[in-house]
């Protein structure tokens, strides 16, 4: 006997997770998957790495074929079937195939997983630019690769410096092209805060990628070979990749009377039910609850989409699953550097009206004395009174993923900064430190929540100095000789107790060192001797990354 008929519109992460999970739960269900593209299950996150040849076999990007899905899961998978209409009254979907044939399919339950589509900026002349592409699917990749082989471009322009834009930039550069990135916002990788993104920009520039921020491409001329920026600058380009973000692919859903919300995303309840009966939705197309703020959000990432697909299958099968929301955890490799984030950025937390404190810690990927230890810059955003963790960011060569994953788990588990020092993380010299950087984040945050330290952020320093504060640099003279803050006072930490008479107890001091550890020791010394003092969070190395031109260097 044939059971419930479930039609799924869209494959890849959300749709195929729903289909395969539902089959494992219900052998009798009739499951039909309608996918507009030629591939129903492919690794879209791996597409940029095929450009450089790092992924050498195109077939490796195809996870499962329709025949394999039919054989293993008894799924009726139909690629190149574009759904153009949903009728909630008759419970049917209709559309056309790639060959132009019309089809209509009835359903008992309908799962929408249409994903997101690339945002196409309003650029004059874009329609005539045959060398301009987006990268969202394997056919997109095939068109780019065809141009790379036939035209053999020398110069590439990447419009947008988000995750995909940076991955494409890296892989085109590895292929030997001269690459320019144009980003409209003030810094690359907008999901990160400015000072953390500064390390990423340095890495791009170290690999001869030209980075232009605070500008947009307004015009493409000469059949796409000349780009004009908003300030009038012109750039030559043989190949242009548009990577300015995505938006929910929900036009068909909206036309069917399904309620849409934030930026056109499908509104669902905590069981993935839409506003129309028997219609559910998952993946990049839906509005989720930002788990930290409780506000609506769009979080188009593979991990939540896979989870949502599994959960909606559970719901349809009668299991008590619900959508708890998402926090947004992501990572990108940029040449030799990794940059990752979880939860809210400092900017987003402040925009949400939260009570925000921030600390930065510079650690190592493993024991500092063990060979080839590399630095990790970590940032924690939290509530200074309750210790609630809002978000974290990390940048480094190795070990960033492990630390951000731990912090993402801490947020999901409702741990506070007081719990971070208690985490017992694996330690042996090749793998970590006895006091892991995550533990150190907890200690540093506790110093703030317990009132032992008062921090000032890098962007607050110029105004503080204008208002009369004096920067006290406790680095050693050889460090000062390599670069220092202008008009600062230098007393090495080891000399500080013996030279307190050189400081004015009525004066406010901002202490700094290279990374912050010595500055904290200096802060504690000065506080206990009656001085007014604040600690420059992240210290010299962080300030140098984001505002190098404000510092003094040897001639």
């Amino acid at each position: 006997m044939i059971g419930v008929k479930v039609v799924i519109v869209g494959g890849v992460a959300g749709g195929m997770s729903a289909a395969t999970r539902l089959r494992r739960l219900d052998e009798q269900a009739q499951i039909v998957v309608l996918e507009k593209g030629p591939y129903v299950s492919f690794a879209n996150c791996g597409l940029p790495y095929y450009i450089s040849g790092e992924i050498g076999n195109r077939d490796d990007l195809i996870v499962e074929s329709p025949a394999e899905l039919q054989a293993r899961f008894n799924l009726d998978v139909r690629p190149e079937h574009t759904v153009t209409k949903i009728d909630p009254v008759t419970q049917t979907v209709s559309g056309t195939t790639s060959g132009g044939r019309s089809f209509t399919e009835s359903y008992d339950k309908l799962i929408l997983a249409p994903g997101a589509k690339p945002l196409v900026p309003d650029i004059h002349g874009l329609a005539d630019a045959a060398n301009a592409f987006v990268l969202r699917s394997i056919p997109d990749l095939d068109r780019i690769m065809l141009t790379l082989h036939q035209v053999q471009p020398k110069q590439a322009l990447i419009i947008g410096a988000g995750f995909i834009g940076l991955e494409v930039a890296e892989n085109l550069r590895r292929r030997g092209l001269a690459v320019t990135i144009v980003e409209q916002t003030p810094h690359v990788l907008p999901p990160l805060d400015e000072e953390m993104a500064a390390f990423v920009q340095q890495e791009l520039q170290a690999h001869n990628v030209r980075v232009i921020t605070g500008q947009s491409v307004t015009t493409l001329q000469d059949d796409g070979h000349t780009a004009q920026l908003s300030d009038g600058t012109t750039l030559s380009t043989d190949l242009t990749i548009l990577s300015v973000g995505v938006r929910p692919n929900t036009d068909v859903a909206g036309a069917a009377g399904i309620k849409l919300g934030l930026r056109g995303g499908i509104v669902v309840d905590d069981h993935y039910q839409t506003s129309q009966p028997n219609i559910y939705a998952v993946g990049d197309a839906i509005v989720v609850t930002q788990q930290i703020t409780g506000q609506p959000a769009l979080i188009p990432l593979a991990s939540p989409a896979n989870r949502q697909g599994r959960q909606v299958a559970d719901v349809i099968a009668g299991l008590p699953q619900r959508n708890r929301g998402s926090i947004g955890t992501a990572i990108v490799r940029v040449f030799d550097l990794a940059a990752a984030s979880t939860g809210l950025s400092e900017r987003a937390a402040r925009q949400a009206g939260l009570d925000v404190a921030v600390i930065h810690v510079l650690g190592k990927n493993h024991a500092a004395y063990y060979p080839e230890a590399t630095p990790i810059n970590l940032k924690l955003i939290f509530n200074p009174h309750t210790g609630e963790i809002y978000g974290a960011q990390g940048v480094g060569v190795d070990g960033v993923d492990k630390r951000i994953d731990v912090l993402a788990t801490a947020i999901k588990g409702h741990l506070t900064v007081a719990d971070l020092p208690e985490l017992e993380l694996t330690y042996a010299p090749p793998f970590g430190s006895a006091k892991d950087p995550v533990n150190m984040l907890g200690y540093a945050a506790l110093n703030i929540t317990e009132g032992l330290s008062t921090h000032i952020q890098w962007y607050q320093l110029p105004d503080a100095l204008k208002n009369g504060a004096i920067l006290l640099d406790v680095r050693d003279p050889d460090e000062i000789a390599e670069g220092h803050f202008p008009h600062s006072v230098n007393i090495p930490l080891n000399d500080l107790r013996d030279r307190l008479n050189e400081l004015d107890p009525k004066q406010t001091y901002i202490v700094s060192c290279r990374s912050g550890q010595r500055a904290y020791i200096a802060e504690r010394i000065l506080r206990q001797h009656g001085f007014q003092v604040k600690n420059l969070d992240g210290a010299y190395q962080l300030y140098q990354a984001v505002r190098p031109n404000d510092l003094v260097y040897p001639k």
Side-chain angles (χ1 to χ4, degrees):
M1 176 175 136
I2 296 177
V4 64
K5 181 178 181 180
V6 179
V7 173
I8 301 172
V9 178
V12 199
M16 292 316 303
S17 293
T20 54
R21 172 65 170 175
L22 188 58
R23 173 58 72 222
R24 293 193 295 271
L25 295 175
D26 187 349
E27 185 65 19
Q28 302 304 315
Q30 182 183 359
I31 304 172
V32 179
V33 181
L34 304 173
E35 165 60 42
K36 68 177 181 180
Y39 305 99
V40 73
S41 181
F42 66 94
N44 55 356
C45 295
L47 300 179
Y49 302 99
Y50 184 72
I51 291 174
S52 65
E54 188 170 354
I55 293 177
N57 189 344
R58 179 180 177 278
D59 290 343
D60 289 342
L61 297 169
I62 302 170
V63 181
E64 298 281 358
S65 70
E68 291 168 331
L69 291 164
Q70 169 66 42
R72 178 164 296 183
F73 295 103
N74 191 25
L75 300 176
D76 182 358
V77 178
R78 306 176 193 175
E80 299 186 297
H81 278 59
T82 301
V83 172
T84 57
K85 183 180 179 181
I86 301 168
D87 189 334
V89 176
T90 61
Q91 295 200 167
T92 59
V93 299
S94 56
T96 58
T97 68
S98 60
R101 179 177 60 84
S102 298
F103 68 87
T104 298
E105 198 70 34
S106 64
Y107 63 84
D108 297 317
K109 303 288 184 181
L110 177 64
I111 301 173
L112 301 179
K117 55 186 177 182
L119 279 171
V120 178
D122 183 15
I123 300 175
H124 182 70
L126 177 60
D128 299 322
N131 62 344
F133 305 93
V134 297
L135 180 59
R136 184 73 181 172
S137 66
I138 290 181
D140 292 336
L141 177 65
D142 290 341
R143 286 187 283 271
I144 293 171
M145 296 306 297
L146 184 64
T147 297
L148 288 170
H149 289 305
Q150 290 186 345
V151 179
Q152 297 186 347
K154 304 298 182 184
Q155 301 178 92
L157 171 64
I158 312 298
I159 302 176
F163 290 97
I164 300 300
L166 295 187
E167 288 171 347
V168 173
E170 174 189 342
N171 284 280
L172 286 173
R173 187 73 194 95
R174 290 185 185 278
R175 197 180 171 92
L177 278 72
V179 177
T180 298
I181 297 174
V182 175
E183 168 57 47
Q184 188 172 14
T185 68
H187 60 83
V188 301
L189 211 55
L192 265 63
D193 289 313
E194 182 179 355
E195 78 280 15
M196 302 300 285
F199 295 104
V200 177
Q201 181 160 329
Q202 289 177 356
E203 182 72 5
L204 289 164
Q205 292 168 335
H207 286 82
N208 297 315
V209 174
R210 183 183 180 188
V211 177
I212 301 172
T213 57
Q215 296 291 328
S216 61
V217 175
T218 59
T219 304
L220 288 173
Q221 303 168 336
D222 304 327
D223 296 327
H225 288 83
T226 301
Q228 182 170 329
L229 306 187
S230 48
D231 67 351
T233 300
T234 58
L235 304 171
S236 296
T237 175
D238 304 315
L239 172 69
T240 297
I241 307 294
L242 307 172
S243 182
V244 297
V246 296
R247 69 176 182 87
N249 186 16
T250 57
D251 294 343
V252 174
I258 294 171
K259 183 179 179 181
L260 304 182
L262 179 67
R263 294 201 291 277
I266 298 172
V267 175
V268 297
D269 65 13
D270 58 3
H271 297 296
Y272 300 101
Q273 173 75 54
T274 71
S275 61
Q276 293 286 2
N278 297 316
I279 301 180
Y280 303 80
V282 297
D284 295 355
I286 71 170
V287 178
V288 300
T289 298
Q290 215 299 333
Q291 201 167 335
I292 300 165
T293 65
Q295 297 300 308
L298 296 173
I299 302 179
L301 296 171
S303 178
N306 277 285
R307 179 179 72 246
Q308 293 159 14
R310 178 187 174 96
Q311 289 176 341
V312 76
D314 288 354
V315 169
I316 290 174
L319 295 178
Q321 288 285 4
R322 66 182 184 86
N323 178 8
R324 305 184 197 178
S326 297
I327 61 174
T329 304
I331 190 168
V332 63
R333 189 192 74 187
V334 182
F335 295 101
D336 298 323
L337 209 62
S341 65
T342 186
L344 302 177
S345 65
E346 179 184 355
R347 179 181 62 257
R350 294 192 186 281
Q351 288 174 346
L354 301 176
D355 194 354
V356 175
V358 170
I359 52 103
H360 296 80
V361 165
L362 177 63
K364 298 286 187 180
N365 65 318
H366 57 235
Y369 59 83
Y370 189 82
E372 299 181 359
T374 56
I376 296 177
N377 277 280
L378 290 176
K379 176 177 184 176
L380 192 72
I381 302 102
F382 62 99
N383 186 304
H385 306 296
T386 67
E388 179 185 357
I389 303 171
Y390 297 141
Q393 298 172 23
V395 181
V397 173
D398 183 46
V400 170
D401 53 345
K402 178 166 79 170
R403 275 69 187 201
I404 294 300
D405 285 346
V406 169
L407 292 164
T409 304
I411 294 173
K412 278 283 190 176
H414 303 290
L415 303 187
T416 70
V417 297
D419 296 308
L420 298 184
E422 298 292 327
L423 296 179
E424 299 182 21
L425 306 174
T426 55
Y427 164 59
F431 302 103
S433 304
K435 289 190 288 189
D436 190 87
V438 171
N439 300 136
M440 296 305 296
L441 279 175
Y443 287 128
L446 277 176
N447 287 336
I448 292 177
T449 63
E450 294 171 350
L452 296 176
S453 182
T454 300
H455 280 206
I456 184 171
Q457 293 303 311
W458 62 270
Y459 54 81
Q460 298 171 316
L461 180 62
D463 284 343
L465 297 178
K466 286 179 183 177
N467 291 331
I470 294 176
L471 193 139
L472 175 61
D473 195 329
V474 297
R475 292 179 299 154
D476 293 334
D478 58 335
E479 296 174 280
I480 297 292
E482 295 177 358
H484 62 273
F485 293 96
H487 313 298
S488 58
V489 173
N490 174 226
I491 301 179
L493 176 62
N494 291 349
D495 299 339
L496 184 59
R497 288 184 182 86
D498 296 330
R499 297 175 60 180
L500 291 176
N501 62 319
E502 299 178 24
L503 303 177
D504 182 357
K506 297 179 181 179
Q507 174 67 51
T508 297
Y509 291 94
I510 297 171
V511 289
S512 176
C513 60
R514 187 180 80 87
S515 64
Q517 186 176 17
R518 283 174 290 174
Y520 171 65
I521 297 171
E523 179 187 12
R524 294 304 304 153
I525 292 171
L526 293 169
R527 280 183 180 274
Q528 293 176 79
H529 283 84
F531 286 90
Q532 303 173 61
V533 58
K534 294 181 179 180
N535 191 331
L536 178 60
D537 188 34
Y540 181 85
Q541 70 94 27
L542 185 71
Y543 198 92
Q544 184 183 39
V546 68
R547 287 191 175 174
N549 295 332
D550 289 0
L551 303 173
V552 178
Y553 303 98
K555 296 181 180 180

